[in-house]
Amino acid sequence: MCTSPEHGSEHAQAGAGRRSFLRATALLGAAATAGVAMPQVAEAATAGRRRPDTESRRFTLAVMPDTQYLFDGPSIDKAPVEASLRYLLEHGKDENIVFLSHLGDLTQNGAKAEVAAISEAFGLLDRRGVGYSVLAGNHDVKSSTTDQRGPTPYLDAFGPSRFKGHRTFGGASDDGYNTYHLFRAGGREWMVLALDWRLSDKGYAWAESVLAAHPRTPVILTTHELVVEDDELSAYGQQLWDRLIEDHDQIFLTLNGHYWPAARATRKNAAGHDVHLHLANYQNRYFGGAAMIRLYRFDLDRNVIDVETVSPWILGRAGKGLNELERQEIELSGDADRFTMDIDFADRFAGFAPVPARPARPASRMLIPGTVAYWRFDNAVTDKVRDLSGRGNDLSLVTVGGGTLGWSSDHHPDQPGHGSLEFQGYKSPLKGAYLRTVDGAPLNSATFKAGYTIEAFYRLPADWDPGHHAWSGIVSRTGTGGAAGKTADDPDEPLATLSLSNDREPQWAMRPLNQEGIATNWGQETPLETWWHLAVVNDGRHTTLYIEGCPVVRNPKATATGITSVGLPWLLGGYEYGGKIDQILHGRLGDVRIVERALPVTSFMNH
């Protein structure tokens, strides 16, 4: 839901620095040259870094693939890695970076000096309490061994003892080569399962036990070898799929290095769900990949993960001028380096962590002070719908051309009542059914001089056609401008109507008490087969139309007080022109409420 301007924009800045690395060429201070550590001022600037916003629905997972050529015997150069790690510290807040995963082959030979150098670089994250994972690649350990290989310089530096003080560290296998890490983001728990270069039977059993102990947690599996090229797994990658990934629905994304160039694969698991498998490795590129990092930007509201690949180290050198290769490597834009993944997170995770449906709320909770009418449709309509406000604004059923009014349990996920009416209007010949307030209902003569809020939930079906269904009213007031003595604009238009245009744009068009003409608020196109909440709010002077709690752009600035009345009924699902029914809604209508005062967004029915 959108947050109203008066309440600020909660979490709006999380992830706002989507391309800030390209705008801020001074990101890392003075340009770092090969073999030269970054300026100490850059590290000092990160000292006040805040922890990630764990509730924001936009967050970033950073990934660093093979860095082995930067830590190769006598040619050790940790500056690129430090530049990337400082980037994460520097942009932890605006990118809402929640975690970093290294994909193995930290070093070329696994020698003590090599491991010590990259271990020192990762101390930047340790000192700031930033969550991260590493894992052994075939160059960090003897490639012919499994996770049962015993002590190594890698394990001495990056074993479980290093991570025990980290708030994201979940645990490790007895051998120390496999770890799991838990972080909170988007209001829920996530896991990074970091697996060794080669799992033993014990390793597989440990991984399965970790998944079993966290049955509702979505999992990102990281390992060194899995995807070998587009749509193809290596022999060992196939083993991982067969023995672990396929039967564990929690694993929705895997990340690996080892091979190049970068590639992607998608496979269906045993539950029939997509698993995204990604290969990221840039060691074959300029400066051994220059410690490239890949940023996985999760957006749970848009149901996407936007992926980018950048080199903060090269970016930090921009102030002193870049050579031709460096200019090509600042950011990679190939199909496997920069892309968007579409994931309906709620649907993808429903098999192991279903989102509980919001329960129905009693009608009494919706009767806030000032409520003059509240209609909900918990059952099919035969001839009348009672006004639950107790104000006597009951509705009667009107049929046209033999039309009917159906009922459905379908409803907006945040709707108080768990039912809706299915209108089946058709323009020519006119056919359908709608509801009207009974004669003598107090609402018929109300003018709302002090303000009002009108709310409704609606959903249009896939067969909605503007040629037959446009301009039907959701909520409207009968009586024409001409009948009220207001002849400016079209005198045959009704005094008020919340309608849907031929482009499915909600429109509130009405004649205020203080002017002759029609005042109109316009919303944007609302897609089919989706539930929407509308609210029209007037504070006695100005009217604002909201869609899903978000104010639309076309809200008039002119003063508009009250709603003109000639004492005639209101309609639900119907629209009159020239005093005669002209169009009937084709779609579903949920709860409708009218309040005789302006409500804040926090008091809307979908809140």
Side-chain angles (χ1 to χ4, degrees), residues 355-375:
V355 177
R358 188 173 184 179
R361 285 162 281 163
S364 58
R365 286 181 54 187
M366 299 299 105
L367 303 182
I368 59 177
T371 302
V372 296
Y374 177 44
W375 305 292

Side-chain angles (χ1 to χ4, degrees), residues 52-64:
D53 183 344
T54 59
E55 301 306 304
S56 172
R57 293 174 64 79
R58 290 163 65 96
F59 58 90
T60 300
L61 171 72
V63 177
M64 182 182 290

Side-chain angles (χ1 to χ4, degrees), residues 419-439:
S420 60
L421 295 184
E422 189 162 0
F423 293 77
Q424 300 172 3
Y426 196 84
K427 175 72 172 179
S428 181
L430 186 63
K431 182 179 180 180
Y434 61 94
L435 299 167
R436 67 189 292 275
T437 52
V438 297
D439 293 337

Side-chain angles (χ1 to χ4, degrees), residues 84-270:
S84 290
L85 298 181
R86 284 195 173 95
Y87 171 89
L88 303 181
L89 296 172
E90 193 84 12
H91 284 256
K93 181 181 178 182
D94 59 275
E95 291 273 6
N96 200 24
I97 298 171
V98 294
F99 199 79
L100 164 71
S101 288
H102 196 293
L103 301 182
D105 274 3
L106 291 89
T107 67
Q108 176 66 13
N109 305 294
K112 287 184 178 180
E114 297 170 350
V115 174
I118 193 167
S119 174
E120 182 180 357
F122 270 90
L124 291 171
L125 300 189
D126 295 325
R127 290 191 289 275
R128 300 291 177 259
V130 176
Y132 69 95
S133 66
V134 296
L135 54 91
N138 59 302
H139 281 267
D140 299 312
V141 293
K142 188 175 181 180
S143 62
S144 61
T145 62
T146 71
D147 53 21
Q148 302 304 304
R149 65 184 62 87
T152 60
Y154 166 86
L155 194 61
D156 291 340
F158 290 104
S161 60
R162 183 183 192 114
F163 296 101
K164 282 184 178 177
H166 287 221
R167 58 188 171 81
T168 55
F169 180 61
S173 55
D174 291 340
D175 51 76
Y177 285 100
N178 303 291
T179 59
Y180 75 94
H181 308 258
L182 301 169
F183 60 87
R184 186 170 177 84
R188 70 173 305 151
E189 182 181 78
W190 306 73
M191 179 191 296
V192 168
L193 184 61
L195 302 180
D196 184 70
W197 151 251
R198 285 292 185 267
L199 285 185
S200 63
D201 288 342
K202 289 183 178 180
Y204 277 110
W206 174 85
E208 290 180 341
S209 71
V210 170
L211 295 174
H214 301 83
R216 295 173 57 85
T217 303
V219 175
I220 301 158
L221 184 150
T222 61
T223 192
H224 188 58
E225 179 186 341
L226 205 161
V227 176
V228 62
E229 60 183 7
D230 279 342
D231 301 318
E232 185 174 334
L233 309 187
S234 69
Y236 177 69
Q238 186 64 48
Q239 181 191 122
L240 275 173
W241 175 266
D242 293 339
R243 295 189 61 175
L244 185 66
I245 301 170
E246 183 177 24
D247 291 329
H248 290 88
D249 194 31
Q250 295 165 258
I251 302 172
F252 71 98
L253 174 64
T254 74
L255 306 169
N256 72 276
H258 191 50
Y259 298 104
W260 63 78
R264 292 189 281 163
T266 303
R267 287 197 172 187
K268 296 283 185 186
N269 65 15

Side-chain angles (χ1 to χ4, degrees), residues 220-433:
I220 301 158
L221 184 150
T222 61
T223 192
H224 188 58
E225 179 186 341
L226 205 161
V227 176
V228 62
E229 60 183 7
D230 279 342
D231 301 318
E232 185 174 334
L233 309 187
S234 69
Y236 177 69
Q238 186 64 48
Q239 181 191 122
L240 275 173
W241 175 266
D242 293 339
R243 295 189 61 175
L244 185 66
I245 301 170
E246 183 177 24
D247 291 329
H248 290 88
D249 194 31
Q250 295 165 258
I251 302 172
F252 71 98
L253 174 64
T254 74
L255 306 169
N256 72 276
H258 191 50
Y259 298 104
W260 63 78
R264 292 189 281 163
T266 303
R267 287 197 172 187
K268 296 283 185 186
N269 65 15
H273 295 143
D274 284 345
V275 180
H276 299 271
L277 307 106
H278 293 175
L279 160 61
N281 184 13
Y282 304 102
Q283 69 184 85
N284 63 312
R285 302 181 74 103
Y286 173 72
F287 219 78
M292 285 267 183
I293 56 174
R294 180 174 283 190
L295 301 172
Y296 282 73
R297 295 184 173 100
F298 287 65
D299 190 326
L300 304 188
D301 289 318
R302 292 170 51 231
N303 280 321
V304 298
I305 303 176
D306 293 317
V307 180
E308 281 189 290
T309 305
V310 299
S311 173
W313 177 70
I314 296 176
L315 174 63
R317 296 165 56 84
K320 292 188 176 181
L322 300 179
N323 62 44
E324 183 177 353
L325 280 175
E326 289 173 321
R327 288 194 296 271
Q328 295 295 320
E329 300 294 303
I330 285 182
E331 178 184 16
L332 303 185
S333 55
D335 290 343
D337 308 307
R338 181 185 178 90
F339 54 90
T340 294
M341 302 161 53
D342 293 312
I343 299 180
D344 185 327
F345 292 98
D347 182 67
R348 176 60 181 84
F349 301 161
F352 59 89
V355 177
R358 188 173 184 179
R361 285 162 281 163
S364 58
R365 286 181 54 187
M366 299 299 105
L367 303 182
I368 59 177
T371 302
V372 296
Y374 177 44
W375 305 292
R376 61 194 282 170
F377 313 112
D378 296 327
N379 301 288
V381 174
T382 53
D383 59 345
K384 288 193 181 294
V385 175
R386 187 166 65 91
D387 170 21
L388 300 180
S389 77
R391 298 289 192 97
N393 294 303
D394 298 338
L395 302 170
S396 59
L397 178 65
V398 181
T399 61
V400 177
T404 59
L405 190 60
W407 181 85
S408 173
S409 60
D410 187 28
H411 59 276
H412 188 290
D414 290 319
Q415 185 178 303
H418 282 191
S420 60
L421 295 184
E422 189 162 0
F423 293 77
Q424 300 172 3
Y426 196 84
K427 175 72 172 179
S428 181
L430 186 63
K431 182 179 180 180

